[in-house]
Amino acid sequence: MRPTEPDPTPVGLAAWIGGTAAAALGAFVIYVTFGGHILPPSDTGWMLSGRIGPDPVQYWLGWTTFARDAWHWPPGSNPGWGMELASSIFYSDSIPLLAFAFKALQPVVQVDQYWGLWIYACGALQALIAWALIGRATADSLARLAGAGLFVLQPLLLARLGGHFALGGQFLLLAGLWLCVVPGAGLRRLLAWAALMAVSAMIHAYILPMVGALWAADWLARAVDRERRGWSLVAEVLLAPVAGIAGLWASGFFALSDGLGGTWGGFGQMQLDLLAPFDGGYWSGLWPDIETADHLEAGNSYPGLGVLLVLALGLVAWVARPCLPSRRYWPLLGVLAGLLAIAITHRVAIGGQVFEVLSLPAWVVSHADALRASERFFWPVLYAALLGACVALVGWLGGRRVGIVLVVALLLQAADLRPGLARLNDYFAPQPPEVPLRLADPFWREAARHYTVVRVVPTGMQAPNWEEVAVYAATLGLQTDAVYLARLDPRAVEALNAVVAQRLDNGFYEPRTFYVLGDERSLALARDSMDPERDMLGQFDGRWVLAPGWHGQTPANAAPR
């Protein structure tokens, strides 16, 4: 990338108008895709209805228990959800940065959900920063606005906002690219990177290493440039990573010492198929669905036909006017190549066929398992390629004609992605502001008067009945070990299940606790140990429940909450 120098970005009123228009375009894309009903902070129906899947329920549960609890140390600690398996707001993927802010604001405003606001903010900020990036090459308003639209009308972004909300913070990657291509040094650059690292850490752990890699590229570019060297570079090599670590600590990342590898697959099992960017899949109405890797991350690396057109024309423009990037951008290109290698992994997938081209030591793979969903590391590569293509087209055609090209590409993008957008729109169909509990039998509300704890047996990551029980417990104010977290300590799960199984076996039940039994073994233990004159074993809403001391027990709570 070689932006035009000096920076042609307009200043003053024109810049404010252009930036506002770009942000409005980004918000409009979000509105068309997801609707306006997700915005009101009191509306939780769209999250808890189950149409989007279990992840939004996880986010809401983490936030709800965190908001009700007192502050702990570190601030992200969230002992209120999960009991022995509890960790932090970080591991419920509830966007710790926003959780901190809205918890602090609770005396002023009550917020039941902030993800609608977040989704709209992601679209607006993505477009705004993309508009600024394209402004490094041209001041043409049409080119900048249409180009910004391509960065938002993008499966990489919209797929994440369609369920993995925190991962929609991809504007942080664009902000990192901005710092890589904009001249600057000294204290202001140090503070900018430190802030970006800390914010990234408090949004999502997958975004942090990508932003960190971009910081390393910019730091190296300044280190080899005599005109940009200074004392701050030495301080920055310590302070920028420390800022990221501090953000992780505050969010509660270090609450776990084991289980960071995740649950579903390891490094090299959710990799970028080399044909994935050309697989229209369920997103495209104009491009074919081709065979690619089949895993949980697959299907969302298709950039859209409009973007593919811009990338192809950008390559033509570079061939027509070949120009090597200045040495200033070599570190960035090297880092992007490294991120692409992480996305592809040592197990290269081509058209769904996997070839292990490099045998990595087991300890390397074990540590890399923390980045198991490695296909995501393709994001900054694609965004940088799209930016580079826009820059190459400006150099070849000039700003005004590039504007027309990008408008055509944006219209083509919108036409191509109609199936994918319709799919998301269906997932986010309007729901009642509050959905009724799925555990609707009168027993459950009566149980909330008698007990303070409800356990699922066995428990663990998305254990049987976890979602219904966890929402029930959070709604009526009970404690529970029913959890779904980004990471769980497997040793803690194993130890807890052993203790609870022993209690069921010998009949020494915990005070004010009832059990939702999820398998035949736990049901058999309960049958053998219960006292029919004192305890109750029954089925409610299709779930087997052991309620110790049900007969003649005095309520623990005055009334259902």
Side-chain angles (χ1 to χ4, degrees), residues 54 81 85 263-264 455-470 480-485 488 493 496-497 516-519 522 543:
W81 185 33
L85 304 181
T263 305
W264 296 286
R455 291 191 182 275
V456 293
V457 188
T459 190
M461 182 73 81
Q462 288 186 299
N465 305 309
W466 82 269
E467 185 174 335
E468 295 82 2
V469 171
T480 185
D481 61 1
V483 294
Y484 168 29
L485 296 164
L488 276 180
V493 173
L496 176 57
N497 280 327
V516 180
L517 310 172
D519 63 4
S522 61
R543 279 88 178 169

Side-chain angles (χ1 to χ4, degrees), residues 25 145-151 153 306 310 405-415:
L25 176 60
L145 195 59
L150 289 171
F151 277 84
L153 192 58
V310 172
V405 170
L406 293 181
V407 167
V408 172
L410 182 59
L411 294 174
L412 178 60
Q413 184 86 346

